Amino acid sequence: MQIKVNGKNLEVAEHVTVQGLIQFLDLGNGRVAVELNREILPRSEHDTQVLRQNDIVEIVQAIGGG
């Protein structure tokens, strides 16, 4: 199915969760913030929130530095 991730179209499997998408994108266990269809998705929902056709996902990775 088609979704949009950070402004780019992406083909993903049906019934994939947000956590599955994070793993698919190889973002590992890093600290990420996820917005799904313009609403912040709590980390506690990443494992259970199933993505649907045409969802819009924004993922921001926290990067340390100084």
Side-chain angles (χ1 to χ4, degrees):
M1 80 180 159
Q2 285 281 341
I3 62 172
K4 189 169 278 200
V5 179
N6 293 347
K8 296 180 181 177
N9 291 328
L10 183 67
E11 184 78 25
V12 296
E14 296 280 333
H15 309 293
V16 69
T17 63
V18 170
Q19 185 61 40
L21 175 64
I22 291 169
Q23 290 172 342
F24 175 76
L25 296 173
D26 199 26
L27 297 177
N29 293 325
R31 298 185 60 144
V32 296
V34 177
E35 182 182 274
L36 177 60
N37 299 321
R38 299 183 181 245
E39 292 189 23
I40 298 295
L41 185 69
R43 183 181 298 263
S44 62
E45 295 179 23
H46 289 188
D47 284 334
T48 57
Q49 180 64 54
V50 176
L51 296 171
R52 291 177 277 172
Q53 178 76 18
N54 298 319
D55 273 347
I56 299 171
V57 182
E58 295 290 329
I59 302 175
V60 178
Q61 228 177 339
I63 299 174

